[in-house]
């Protein structure tokens, strides 16, 4: 399926005439993780890495939810649980220097970029050791060192900003690619299409990753989007797109590698619709009454990204359960330490009120 | 070690809730992510998920209990290999650290805003004596500023509608494409929101974009990126990520273009911490301040004026003429009344000063040049001499720049005033199209003269 998708994508690139074939190929990609047309299997090392990275996000987010429940994290807190394969698979396809930018559901992206769990958690609790000294919070964190450009609280803003990062790459001709994440909700913002137009017009090295978790806050995709195949959202700009099983880290990695290579080669932007699912509500205070429990349970039980990898580790790769438990324990230690730090680290000094306004 | 499960807060405002139902019973094995109970918050029924693994050793708060305070122990989970019975009978288990109570901060302890210790500013030394002066239009001065900075720094580029091949909708970017090429002088589609965001993104990556809006009226489409993305990111990143970008273009009323194309945004942008807002009047200031703006590490809104583009001023012939941002200039000295304005408002102030001179009134005229940060010290120094002030702008009166000037004078120079500060502004109406009405809507020299006389009680 991989070559076929690549081919149809490039056809679309030239003529914009292959959406049907492409959509079929994409559907095969989306539905075919269990079929013989599935993505290239991960090596043992790749699966071990993916497992660890995804588990880190899962456990971190669960802990963040707990700290929120204790009143240690305030305001809004949007958890990434269920969507871990998307950012981990994409990150495994990047090279040093590639940039990442996303919206408000950003903790997973930061961890996947290699940002320190302590700094992220301490920012969630508004402490001085947080990435933004406690002045940004859950939705506003950055790391120039890790090329993570936020963390943006205005839905869709990151799409134009990420296109600007890609613009800078092209301007400097530095070979880097900008990975721009947004959701099915943000995909309806006007500036997304303004950005698509410029990105294709100027052949900018951007990969647009639409994390379709089926609900924009409480509104199902079908109630908000006239075109629910988000891989086609670039058709009128001649940007190729694919639908990807975003619960399968292998499929994400394979499509991501293809898209990033395309952008890096100077062929312009690429769209990946990641079909994923968020287990938790939109934010901590969302009871998620807009979907059935059965739907959530089915995704958890049949498509969980971490369980898929765990199954492969125990099965195909014959990794002893003890070794997996060791990873579980290591991750738990890191997460617990981050929570401990985020609890004892002092709040920012009052003088910080007046700093960092201008340089 | 046994772990306490606490009553969670699931909304920012929740203080207590009802433990509606346990979905696990004592003795059940639990793994992280399992839904163990349902609670009713102030908003809705929510599920409680376990964060830890183990056995539900003891339920402390039963089904249906109301008014359970947030952070109350509701159950105990025994870890793997632990004796659930022992865990449940013991003293309070290892509690996950309780939330520290928010310490109320008394108002008196709010640290005072750092006050600018800057003394009043003397602009007389900005141009060395004997410097050759060249008659230059504002349009040429702005173009020269951009060209000089682009020659100096490859990370500076210009983007906007019609800036390249068309040579600028108002010809401000004339010749730049020919000198610097299409890589650095970039025509954008008509897509203000999008290209403002692209510019900000490029600035976050360390480039120095000069984003031209064909007029600032169209920048309302892009204001989210100017404020939320450009102005706030340095603060939100704890000082890590700056945004060195200049948003520039004509602002305010041109002539006969009616309400949607005739608005002064100085007051809007000047309210935003994180932005610097410059609105020059003369060609010399336009050049020196645009060069400074391009070099500044902060996001800058640079408000030009279409009517001023074609006006000529003396500009010093210097290799690198850069002016300080945030400094006002005493353009004309006088001892009876201080006239403060900026941008095209200076036109009225200067003509009024001429008219007043004919009546024996010596007006001191101050050009703010920068709206944010505002150089109040220089205004105060003048008022200490004149004891009277009229502030002038083309923008609307409510919450306008002149309203700010008046308040700052109240705060910092009240004791020096011999009369209330007066202001002359655009009328509080959308700009009309008809020539006569448009003229009425704008300030005029007569109004400034009348206001000056009023504060002089003449």
């Amino acid at each position: 399926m991989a070559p076929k998708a690549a081919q149809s994508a490039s056809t679309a690139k030239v003529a914009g005439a292959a959406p049907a074939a492409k959509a079929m190929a994409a559907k095969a990609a989306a539905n075919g993780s269990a079929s013989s047309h599935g993505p290239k299997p991960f090596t043992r090392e790749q699966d071990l890495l993916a497992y660890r990275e995804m588990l880190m996000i899962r456990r971190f987010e669960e802990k963040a939810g707990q700290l929120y429940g204790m009143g240690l994290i305030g305001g809004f807190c949007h958890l990434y649980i269920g969507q871990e394969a998307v950012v981990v698979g994409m990150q495994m396809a990047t090279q040093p220097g590639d940039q990442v930018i996303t919206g408000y559901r950003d903790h997973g992206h930061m961890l996947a970029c290699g940002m320190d769990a302590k700094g992220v958690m301490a920012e969630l609790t508004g402490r001085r050791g947080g990435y933004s000294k406690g002045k940004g919070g859950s939705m506003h964190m950055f790391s120039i060192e890790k090329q993570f450009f936020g963390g943006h609280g205005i839905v869709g803003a990151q799409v134009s900003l990420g296109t600007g990062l890609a613009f800078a790459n092209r301007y400097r001709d530095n070979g880097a690619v900008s990975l721009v994440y947004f959701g099915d909700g943000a995909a309806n913002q006007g500036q997304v299409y303004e950005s698509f137009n410029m990105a294709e017009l100027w052949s900018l090295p951007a990969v647009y990753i639409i994390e379709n978790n089926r609900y924009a806050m409480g509104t199902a995709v079908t109630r908000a989007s006239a075109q629910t195949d988000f891989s086609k959202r670039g058709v009128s700009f001649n940007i190729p797109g694919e639908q990807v099983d975003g619960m399968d880290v292998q499929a994400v990695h394979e499509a991501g590698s293809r898209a990033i290579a395309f952008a890096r080669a100077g062929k312009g932007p690429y769209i990946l619709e990641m079909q994923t699912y968020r287990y938790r509500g939109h934010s901590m205070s969302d009871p998620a009454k807009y979907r059935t429990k059965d739907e959530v349970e089915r995704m958890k039980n049949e498509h969980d990204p971490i369980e898929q990898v765990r199954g492969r580790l125990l099965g195909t790769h014959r990794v002893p359960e003890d070794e997996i438990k060791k990873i579980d324990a290591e991750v738990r230690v890191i997460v617990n330490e981050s929570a401990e730090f985020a609890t004892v680290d002092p709040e920012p000094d009052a003088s910080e009120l007046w700093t960092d306004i201008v340089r | 070690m046994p772990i306490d499960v606490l009553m969670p807060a699931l909304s920012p405002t929740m203080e207590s809730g009802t433990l509606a139902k346990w979905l696990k019973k004592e003795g059940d094995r639990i793994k992280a992510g399992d839904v163990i109970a349902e609670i009713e918050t102030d908003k809705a029924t929510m599920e409680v998920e376990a964060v830890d693994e183990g056995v539900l050793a003891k339920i402390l708060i039963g089904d249906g209990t109301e008014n359970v305070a947030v952070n109350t122990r509701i159950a105990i989970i025994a870890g793997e290999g632990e004796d659930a019975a022992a865990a449940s009978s013991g003293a309070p288990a290892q509690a996950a650290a309780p939330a520290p109570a928010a310490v109320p901060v008394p108002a008196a302890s709010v640290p005072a805003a750092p006050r600018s210790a800057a003394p009043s500013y003397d602009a007389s030394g900005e141009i060395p004596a004997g410097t050759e002066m060249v008659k230059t239009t504002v349009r040429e001065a702005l173009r020269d500023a951009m060209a000089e900075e682009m020659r100096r720094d490859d990370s500076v580029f210009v983007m906007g509608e019609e800036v390249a091949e068309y040579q600028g909708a108002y010809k401000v970017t004339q010749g730049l494409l020919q000198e610097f090429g299409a890589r650095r002088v970039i025509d954008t589609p008509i897509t203000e929101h999008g290209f403002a965001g692209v510019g900000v993104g490029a600035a976050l990556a360390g480039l120095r974009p000069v984003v031209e809006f064909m007029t600032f009226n169209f920048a309302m489409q892009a204001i989210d990126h100017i404020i939320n993305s450009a102005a706030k990111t340095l603060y939100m990143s704890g000082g890590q990520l700056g945004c060195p970008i200049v948003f520039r273009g004509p602002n305010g009323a041109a002539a006969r273009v009616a309400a949607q194309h005739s608005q002064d945004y100085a007051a809007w942008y000047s309210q935003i911490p994180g932005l610097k807002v410059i609105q020059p009047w003369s060609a010399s200031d336009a050049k020196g301040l645009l060069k400074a703006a391009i070099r500044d590490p902060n996001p800058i809104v640079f408000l030009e004026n279409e009517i001023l583009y074609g006006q000529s001023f003396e500009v010093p012939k210097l290799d690198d003429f850069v002016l300080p941002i945030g400094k006002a200039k005493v353009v004309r000295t006088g001892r009876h009344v201080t006239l403060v304005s900026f941008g095209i408002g200076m036109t009225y102030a200067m003509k009024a000063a001429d008219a007043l001179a004919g009546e024996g009134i010596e007006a001191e005229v101050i050009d703010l040049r920068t709206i944010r940060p505002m150089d109040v010290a220089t205004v105060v120094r003048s008022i200490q001499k004149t004891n009277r002030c009229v502030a002038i702008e083309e923008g609307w009166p409510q919450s306008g720049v002149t309203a700010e000037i008046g308040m700052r004078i109240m705060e910092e120079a009240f004791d020096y005033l011999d009369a209330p500060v007066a202001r002359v502004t655009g009328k509080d109406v959308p700009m009309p199209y008809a020539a006569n009405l448009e003229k009425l809507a704008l300030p005029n020299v007569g109004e400034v003269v009348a206001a000056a006389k009023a504060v002089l009680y003449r």
Side-chain angles (χ1 to χ4, degrees):
Chain A
M1 161 256 138
K4 190 179 172 191
Q7 189 185 20
S8 63
S10 56
T11 310
K13 177 88 183 156
V14 175
K22 186 171 46 150
M24 282 169 63
K27 284 213 170 69
N31 303 326
S33 61
S35 78
S36 58
H37 300 293
K40 185 166 173 267
F42 270 5
T43 63
R44 186 178 192 274
E45 284 61 40
Q46 283 176 309
D47 263 332
L48 279 169
L49 176 65
Y51 179 74
R52 187 191 174 87
E53 294 287 300
M54 291 196 290
L55 193 71
M56 176 69 75
I57 296 172
R58 174 79 49 100
R59 294 285 172 263
F60 181 95
E61 293 289 62
E62 286 166 352
K63 184 60 81 176
Q66 187 188 33
L67 296 189
Y68 191 93
M70 293 160 63
L72 281 158
I73 297 173
F76 297 124
C77 186
H78 309 93
L79 303 181
Y80 197 61
I81 296 173
Q83 301 179 215
E84 296 92 343
V86 176
V87 75
V88 169
M90 287 304 301
Q91 210 55 30
M92 287 172 73
T94 58
Q95 288 178 7
D98 292 344
Q99 302 123 326
V100 171
I101 189 167
T102 188
Y104 52 80
R105 195 178 306 285
D106 55 358
H107 315 157
H109 300 72
M110 293 185 262
L111 296 172
C113 285
M115 288 167 68
D116 176 33
K118 282 183 184 171
V120 179
M121 197 69 94
E123 189 60 38
L124 297 184
T125 55
R127 306 307 171 97
R128 65 179 57 176
Y131 266 96
S132 298
K133 300 185 198 165
K135 289 153 74 165
S138 165
M139 300 183 283
H140 314 110
M141 274 180 257
F142 309 83
S143 170
I144 294 174
E145 184 202 348
K146 304 293 182 190
Q147 290 291 290
F148 179 75
F149 285 83
H152 294 272
I154 304 298
V155 177
Q158 76 272 24
V159 182
S160 299
L161 298 171
T163 305
L165 298 173
F167 177 93
N169 293 336
R170 166 51 48 92
Y171 189 89
R172 291 173 165 140
D173 196 18
N174 62 9
V177 174
S178 166
L179 274 60
V180 185
Y181 291 86
F182 54 106
D184 49 278
N188 292 326
Q189 286 279 22
Q191 64 180 311
V192 170
Y193 301 93
E194 299 188 26
S195 302
F196 282 180
N197 184 39
M198 285 180 279
E200 178 65 22
L201 192 62
W202 300 332
S203 292
L204 302 182
V207 175
Y208 297 106
I209 302 134
I210 304 176
E211 298 194 63
N212 177 4
N213 65 18
R214 303 196 198 173
Y215 298 92
M217 194 167 161
T219 304
V221 157
T222 48
R223 295 202 299 122
S225 293
Q227 169 56 277
T228 57
D229 181 345
F230 291 92
S231 72
K232 291 181 183 163
R233 290 294 184 100
V235 166
S236 60
F237 308 97
N238 297 324
I239 303 176
E242 296 179 38
Q243 286 185 315
V244 183
D245 178 359
M247 305 301 276
D248 178 357
V249 69
Q250 296 178 135
V252 171
H253 175 260
E254 186 167 287
S257 301
R258 191 159 54 234
I260 290 171
F262 184 91
R264 206 185 306 284
K267 296 177 185 171
Y270 205 100
I271 293 170
L272 296 174
E273 177 195 345
M274 298 293 177
Q275 298 184 317
T276 183
Y277 201 78
R278 111 173 107 65
Y279 295 177
R280 295 293 193 95
H282 162 73
S283 67
M284 284 300 294
S285 48
D286 169 17
K289 294 296 180 201
Y290 42 81
R291 59 188 186 186
T292 65
K293 281 190 175 174
D294 280 354
E295 178 183 306
V296 181
E297 286 309 308
R298 204 165 53 248
M299 290 305 292
K300 284 185 182 177
N301 294 333
E302 296 171 19
H303 298 279
D304 187 75
I306 298 175
E307 285 305 318
Q308 288 185 43
V309 177
R310 193 181 148 86
R312 285 201 298 271
L313 288 172
L314 289 168
T316 321
H317 301 310
R318 301 183 187 285
V319 174
E321 190 156 7
D322 279 356
E323 197 176 321
I324 295 176
K325 280 196 167 168
K326 204 172 137 220
I327 297 174
D328 296 355
E330 285 166 5
V331 165
R332 201 172 283 282
V333 165
I334 294 170
V335 169
N336 285 342
E337 284 175 357
S338 78
E340 171 68 14
F341 176 71
T343 308
V344 300
D345 190 44
E347 289 185 319
D349 190 84
S351 63
E352 284 291 340
L353 180 66
W354 297 104
T355 62
D356 305 323
I357 298 163
V358 292
R359 275 185 166 159
Chain B
M1 198 184 297
I3 295 159
D4 282 348
V5 180
L6 305 178
M7 182 70 170
L10 291 174
S11 81
T13 48
M14 175 179 165
E15 290 173 2
S16 66
T18 297
L19 207 163
K21 189 164 73 174
W22 282 98
L23 300 174
K24 300 281 181 185
K25 57 186 189 301
E26 290 181 5
D28 282 356
R29 282 204 66 80
I30 289 168
K31 61 182 199 307
D34 282 354
V35 178
I36 56 172
E38 282 181 3
I39 61 171
E40 284 169 19
T41 72
D42 51 350
K43 285 175 114 179
T45 301
M46 303 282 294
E47 294 175 340
V48 181
E49 290 186 7
V51 182
D52 300 284
E53 287 182 345
V55 173
L56 185 59
K58 182 80 180 166
I59 290 175
L60 302 170
I61 304 285
D63 286 3
T65 309
E66 295 180 2
N67 296 318
V68 181
V70 165
N71 283 329
T72 304
R73 294 164 72 211
I74 58 174
I76 299 169
I77 292 176
E80 200 164 341
E82 285 174 350
D83 181 348
S88 64
S89 63
Q94 169 220 4
V103 181
V105 180
S109 75
V110 176
R115 284 203 95 84
S116 165
S120 60
Y121 180 72
D122 181 0
S124 61
E126 285 177 349
I127 299 167
T131 304
E132 183 189 346
M133 302 298 280
V134 182
K135 273 251 187 249
T136 311
T137 63
V138 171
R139 173 181 287 117
E140 292 161 343
L142 292 166
R143 192 266 321 276
D144 292 349
M146 286 187 280
E148 287 178 23
E149 293 307 299
M150 290 176 79
R151 280 173 211 134
R152 183 178 168 270
D153 181 353
D154 181 69
S155 67
V156 179
F157 68 94
V158 177
M159 72 190 302
E161 295 156 6
E162 310 290 7
V163 298
E165 303 214 351
Y166 194 92
Q167 304 288 305
Y170 296 98
K171 298 285 180 280
V172 175
T173 52
Q174 194 153 33
L176 295 183
L177 174 67
Q178 284 63 33
E179 179 172 354
F180 300 101
R183 171 174 170 265
R184 300 180 66 194
V185 186
I186 300 146
D187 277 328
T188 65
I190 300 171
T191 187
E192 282 85 5
H193 193 184
F195 73 68
V198 168
V200 173
L204 295 177
L207 296 182
R208 292 184 172 266
V210 177
V211 173
E212 176 176 307
F213 292 113
M214 192 181 289
T215 85
F216 262 91
N217 302 288
F218 311 149
M220 266 205 280
Q221 303 242 22
I223 200 165
D224 175 59
H225 278 302
I226 299 172
I227 293 171
N228 274 317
S229 304
K232 296 179 184 172
T233 297
L234 184 68
Y235 197 82
M236 294 195 304
S237 67
Q240 216 189 135
L241 200 56
C243 187
I245 190 169
V246 177
F247 300 102
R248 53 153 289 273
N251 162 75
R256 308 293 309 280
V257 288
Q260 290 179 337
H261 286 66
S262 307
Q263 185 170 339
D264 181 353
Y265 290 89
W268 284 44
Y269 291 112
S270 80
Q271 215 209 0
I272 309 301
L275 286 182
K276 293 183 180 180
V277 183
I278 298 170
Q279 191 165 347
W281 164 56
S282 72
S284 165
D285 289 345
K287 182 175 184 186
L289 286 168
L290 183 54
K291 281 167 67 75
I294 292 169
R295 290 182 198 184
D296 197 276
N298 299 290
I300 292 188
V301 172
F302 196 93
L303 301 168
E304 301 159 7
N305 186 286
E306 187 191 333
I307 291 169
L308 293 177
Y309 278 153
Q311 295 189 13
S312 292
F313 295 80
E314 299 285 349
V315 174
K317 192 174 180 184
L318 293 167
D319 287 343
D320 195 20
F321 178 61
V322 184
L323 289 173
I325 295 169
K327 298 297 177 192
K329 180 178 186 177
V330 178
V331 177
R332 176 179 177 135
T333 55
R335 58 195 169 102
H336 295 133
V337 60
T338 302
L339 307 181
V340 186
S341 192
F342 53 93
I344 197 167
M346 284 297 294
T347 311
Y348 308 108
M350 293 301 281
K351 287 181 180 165
D354 282 343
L356 290 164
E359 301 185 42
I361 297 168
E362 293 173 26
E364 180 146 298
V365 184
I366 297 178
D367 182 357
L368 283 180
R369 304 193 290 186
T370 302
I371 315 301
R372 181 187 187 94
M374 191 179 280
D375 180 5
V376 178
T378 298
V379 177
V380 167
R381 183 189 58 174
S382 176
I383 288 171
Q384 287 170 342
K385 177 172 64 175
T386 65
N387 311 112
R388 296 151 206 280
C389 182
V390 177
I392 303 119
E393 68 178 316
E394 272 202 352
W396 289 309
Q398 177 154 340
S399 309
V401 176
T402 50
E404 174 69 13
I405 293 168
M407 191 66 208
R408 296 284 283 275
I409 293 170
M410 287 263 285
E411 290 171 342
E412 299 183 30
F414 183 75
D415 290 342
Y416 293 96
L417 288 175
D418 285 346
V421 176
R423 62 176 163 171
V424 176
T425 70
K427 307 306 179 293
D428 202 7
V429 297
M431 183 63 74
Y433 169 70
N436 63 327
L437 296 182
E438 182 186 61
K439 201 171 174 190
L440 291 171
L442 289 165
N444 61 58
V445 175
E447 288 171 346
V448 179
V449 169
K453 286 183 179 173
V455 299
L456 284 156
Y457 301 113
R458 293 204 199 174

